[in-house]
Amino acid sequence: MAAPSSEVERQRDKERTRAEILAVATREFADKGYAGARVDEIAARTSTTKRMIYYYFGGKEQLYVAALERAYATIRALEQDLDVDHLEPEDAIRQLAELTFDHHEANPDFIRLVSIENIHHGEHIARSEALSGMANPALDVLTRILGRGREAGRFRDDVDALDVHMVISSFCVFRLANRHTFSAIFGRDMLDPARRAHYRLMLGDLVIEYLTA
C-alpha cells in the first residue's frame, strides 16, 4: 500500500533538510576545519536549529563524518558509473584520470576536507563504516582496465590499481591543495584556465607513459 501523501512529503522534507544541512556543513568544515567549525553557524545558515541538527546527525563529530561520507560518495559514484570497458586500455585510463581531474577542480571543498582529515590523522574517517568499503568501485574499475592492458601485452605487470589511483589522486590533489603556495613561490597559477587543457592532458600522459614503460 502506498504511503499517504502527507507521509511522503514529510520524508521528502526530511531528505531536503538533511541535504541542506550537509551542504552548508561541508562548506563550514572546509573553510574552518573540524575544530573551528560551529554547529550554531551551520544552523544559522540553514532553515534549521542546532537542536534539529543534533536530531538528524547526533552531534558535531557525526555531522563532520556525514559530510566526509557525502564528499567521498560523490566521486565514488562517478567512478562507478564510468563506462570504459569498451575502450582501449590506454583510453580508459585517460578517461578515469580526466574524470578525477574534473571532479577535484569542480569540488575544492572535497580537497580541503581531505586535507583537514589528514591533519587529524584520519581518526574520524576510520570510524565510518560507510567509508571503509567506499573505495572499492574506483579500484574495481582500475583493476579491470589494468587487467585488459596486461592481457594485451601493453601494460606493465608490477603495478596494482592502488598504485595508479595514488598517482592520479596525487596530481589532482596537489594542483588544488598547493595552488597558493606554488603560485607564491613560482609565480604560476596551476588553476589558470589557459593551462587547464595542458595539465589535463599531462596527467593522462604521465599515467599511460608509466604503465607502458
Side-chain angles (χ1 to χ4, degrees):
M1 178 182 252
S5 59
S6 58
E7 181 180 334
V8 171
E9 189 57 39
R10 280 197 300 271
Q11 183 62 29
R12 287 174 180 165
D13 287 342
K14 181 178 179 179
E15 291 170 359
R16 281 194 294 265
T17 300
R18 194 175 190 279
E20 181 186 8
I21 293 169
L22 277 177
V24 173
T26 296
R27 175 55 55 86
E28 179 75 3
F29 286 123
D31 286 347
K32 301 176 183 175
Y34 176 70
R38 295 287 177 266
V39 177
D40 286 332
E41 180 64 21
I42 296 168
R45 291 166 56 193
T46 61
S47 56
T48 59
T49 62
K50 185 175 181 179
R51 181 176 179 180
M52 184 177 290
I53 291 174
Y54 284 165
Y55 170 76
Y56 279 120
F57 296 97
K60 179 180 177 180
E61 181 177 7
Q62 293 92 324
L63 176 59
Y64 172 68
V65 170
L68 283 169
E69 290 172 346
R70 175 177 176 268
Y72 273 100
T74 301
I75 180 63
R76 296 291 91 96
L78 291 172
E79 291 162 344
Q80 192 169 19
D81 290 343
L82 189 65
D83 182 15
V84 294
D85 288 338
H86 64 290
L87 298 177
E88 292 296 316
E90 293 88 348
D91 294 332
I93 283 288
R94 189 178 293 279
Q95 281 210 14
L96 182 60
E98 291 173 349
L99 180 147
T100 305
F101 183 97
D102 294 342
H103 169 271
H104 286 17
E105 181 181 79
N107 296 275
D109 283 350
F110 172 75
I111 306 301
R112 296 189 189 103
L113 282 177
V114 172
S115 299
I116 289 163
E117 182 57 10
N118 274 286
I119 290 172
H120 291 277
H121 307 288
E123 64 178 277
H124 303 98
I125 209 170
R127 297 173 190 155
S128 169
E129 293 182 6
L131 286 167
S132 62
M134 205 177 278
N136 292 338
L139 298 184
D140 289 346
V141 171
L142 269 171
T143 297
R144 291 199 306 272
I145 297 171
L146 293 176
R148 291 195 291 115
R150 292 188 188 112
E151 288 173 8
R154 286 141 71 174
F155 284 175
R156 61 197 300 165
D157 59 7
D158 60 343
V159 178
D160 65 19
L162 196 55
D163 291 332
V164 179
H165 178 73
M166 180 175 64
V167 172
I168 294 172
S169 181
S170 297
F171 186 101
C172 296
V173 170
F174 183 94
R175 180 169 169 261
L176 271 294
N178 290 33
R179 173 191 182 185
H180 300 292
T181 52
F182 198 89
S183 177
I185 295 170
F186 298 107
R188 175 176 291 184
D189 182 2
M190 290 186 286
L191 264 63
D192 181 353
R195 291 184 175 272
R196 184 181 191 275
H198 168 73
Y199 287 134
R200 198 169 183 263
L201 179 64
M202 178 180 169
L203 170 61
D205 288 346
L206 286 169
V207 179
I208 292 168
E209 285 295 323
Y210 178 64
L211 287 174
T212 57

